[in-house]
Amino acid sequence: MILKSLKSKFSKNYKKKNWPGLIEAYKKYLPVDKKTPIITLKEGNTPLIFSEKLSNLMGNNTKIYLKYDGLNPTGSFKDRGMTMAISKAKEEGCEAVICASTGNTSAAAAAYAARGGLKSYVLIPDGFVAQGKLAQALMYGAEVLSIKGNFDEALEIVRELSDKYPITLVNSVNPYRIEGQKTAAFEIVDDLSFAPDWLCIPMGNAGNITAYWKGFKEYSKKYKNLILPKMMGFQSSGSAPLVNNIVVKEPDTIATAIRIGNPVNRDKAKLVKKESGGDFQAVTDTEIINAYKFLAKEGVFCEPASAASVAGLIKNKNRIKKDSKIVCVLTGNGLKDPDCAIKNNDAIFQKNIEPSLKNISKKLGY
Ligand code: AN7
């Protein structure tokens, strides 16, 4: 009896407790039907966290929220697109999928392919994929080919392979990826009951900024008075093809996830910027690392590429209007790239300590 009453109270207060995964939750807005086999790891429904520290830093009664998509099943927003891409690949009878990746796409593709019983192949740039992501692709059972080249070269090859052979491409040129990823915008509006004034987001191939914009626009058909956000896209200054409107032959940044020199969604991204009245800007690696450390000091650990959204926000402090509501998208979990964290922190870390109470008390300053 007690359990029963507790349960009903719970489901009333926490509607999303039995979260079914984003396809089931948002199927009205997605190209799925009864024949679609839903391959899910219960992705989506990630927290929107109010950041007191960032709000104070911005001042002017600004409210800053973090969309922490690093809490998806494989630790990045890619799961949103991959649940759709793999479900549709399975529906279409495909047996193998392929992607080029700076790491997160490969982890998500491998996980969802494993879940759906499909074979997965991934091409990654040798030496430029964070340890956690590589570990995931290997563990989930992808066949991994590390190439002596960068992401852009890998993508060209997988595009050709998927044209020639019966292998489905699951990079963000696959339209189902964008469909899945747009649900993050739905969740933000569902949480806030409005859309933010700005959405700050890192850009690599610009699939995610395209997806968010699509999501906001679709929700504005449902909520007629929804005011759409300005889409603020950020790239690393060593890898900023969209900011500078060029192809970067040798992209270079500590944020390996967005080490991309020729984004496939370039034209779509330009349109997002224009339609939303937003802006694309570059942030330096130093600014990225400072934002990365700042977030961790509020208990939120994201990967370096994700911190580009916050670095960008901080850079625009003087442009932010009073009372603004801003969402920064944190696309990946900090645990993805432990090497970066271990190299870039301000912690006191003393090694080789004699394990005696006296010695340790002294070291701690007591
Ligand atoms: C953490 O995994 O391209 O602008 O191959 O991993 O949609 O490309 C990753 C991209 C931002 C950029 N944040 O998103 C890949 C890959 C993180 C990422 C991006 C990526 P898009």
Side-chain angles (χ1 to χ4, degrees):
M1 281 307 277
I2 291 175
L3 268 180
K4 202 173 165 194
S5 72
L6 256 182
K7 189 168 175 246
S8 64
K9 198 169 161 202
F10 239 85
S11 22
K12 199 162 134 212
N13 293 345
Y14 299 98
K15 276 191 227 135
K16 290 185 178 172
K17 188 168 178 287
N18 294 314
W19 178 255
L22 62 84
I23 295 183
E24 183 60 34
Y26 292 113
K27 63 184 170 201
K28 272 201 308 204
Y29 301 92
L30 295 169
V32 292
D33 59 31
K34 289 203 179 69
K35 341 181 268 304
T36 315
I38 298 180
I39 311 302
T40 180
L41 291 161
K42 308 277 176 114
E43 56 296 311
N45 192 24
T46 56
L48 187 68
I49 303 170
F50 174 68
S51 172
E52 196 173 334
K53 279 209 161 96
L54 271 175
S55 302
N56 288 342
L57 185 69
M58 293 300 109
N60 237 345
N61 200 33
T62 316
K63 302 260 183 304
I64 312 292
Y65 300 86
L66 307 167
K67 180 61 173 165
Y68 193 16
D69 244 6
L71 288 188
N72 274 300
T74 78
S76 88
F77 73 99
K78 303 284 180 180
D79 294 347
R80 294 182 180 277
M82 216 49 82
T83 183
M84 272 301 300
I86 300 289
S87 298
K88 292 303 280 188
K90 184 120 179 124
E91 180 182 339
E92 288 157 12
C94 128
E95 286 168 10
V97 296
I98 195 165
C99 66
S101 181
T102 57
N104 280 326
T105 301
S106 68
Y112 284 81
R115 184 89 173 158
L118 306 181
K119 171 92 196 140
S120 63
Y121 302 101
V122 308
L123 262 69
I124 55 171
D126 196 22
F128 291 95
V129 169
Q131 284 291 306
K133 305 175 188 181
L134 180 59
Q136 287 178 295
L138 297 170
M139 280 303 290
Y140 295 135
E143 192 166 328
V144 179
L145 292 101
S146 184
I147 66 154
K148 291 184 261 173
N150 61 29
F151 169 86
D152 304 287
E153 292 166 285
L155 186 62
E156 248 174 65
I157 296 165
V158 296
R159 288 182 90 162
E160 281 188 33
L161 283 170
S162 68
D163 277 345
K164 273 198 170 143
Y165 304 108
I167 323 172
T168 301
L169 184 64
V170 293
N171 280 103
S172 60
V173 278
N174 179 324
Y176 300 122
R177 281 273 314 276
I178 305 295
E179 290 299 312
Q181 284 170 213
K182 75 186 179 188
T183 59
F186 298 165
E187 290 177 16
I188 290 173
V189 177
D190 287 343
D191 276 341
L192 293 175
S193 308
F194 53 83
D197 298 298
W198 284 11
L199 186 95
C200 298
I201 185 168
M203 295 187 299
N205 262 311
N208 213 25
I209 194 167
T210 304
Y212 267 89
W213 184 238
K214 189 165 196 284
F216 286 123
K217 283 205 301 189
E218 286 182 17
Y219 247 30
S220 73
K221 288 187 194 129
K222 177 177 162 190
Y223 301 107
K224 296 282 181 226
N225 47 5
L226 196 72
I227 298 165
L228 298 177
K230 290 192 188 313
M231 303 295 280
M232 305 292 286
F234 298 101
Q235 300 196 292
S236 173
S237 48
S239 178
L242 295 170
V243 176
N244 300 319
N245 210 7
I246 50 167
V247 172
V248 180
K249 281 258 178 295
E250 288 176 13
D252 175 35
T253 170
I254 195 167
T256 53
I258 51 172
R259 189 174 167 273
I260 294 173
N262 191 16
V264 286
N265 298 300
R266 184 188 291 272
D267 293 341
K268 290 184 186 144
K270 275 188 194 163
L271 201 61
V272 170
K273 180 172 131 181
K274 192 167 160 230
E275 284 183 4
S276 75
D279 201 4
F280 294 169
Q281 295 174 11
V283 287
T284 64
D285 278 4
T286 307
E287 288 166 331
I288 287 175
I289 292 300
N290 286 341
Y292 173 71
K293 292 200 265 186
F294 187 92
L295 284 165
K297 285 181 184 144
E298 202 177 14
V300 180
F301 185 24
C302 68
E303 65 172 283
S306 309
S309 65
V310 172
L313 167 79
I314 294 171
K315 216 172 174 146
N316 283 281
K317 182 175 176 195
N318 295 333
R319 275 179 65 189
I320 299 169
K321 293 205 183 98
K322 194 170 184 294
D323 302 324
S324 288
K325 316 276 191 288
I326 296 176
V327 171
C328 294
V329 182
L330 301 184
T331 45
N333 198 299
L335 293 170
K336 292 272 192 176
D337 194 349
D339 296 330
C340 182
I342 289 165
K343 278 189 209 131
N344 295 284
N345 64 74
D346 304 324
I348 299 166
F349 180 22
Q350 308 184 56
K351 293 186 201 170
N352 293 322
I353 308 288
E354 279 308 314
S356 77
L357 183 63
K358 189 165 163 244
N359 185 39
I360 291 177
S361 312
K362 199 169 139 218
K363 293 270 182 207
L364 295 180
Y366 293 101

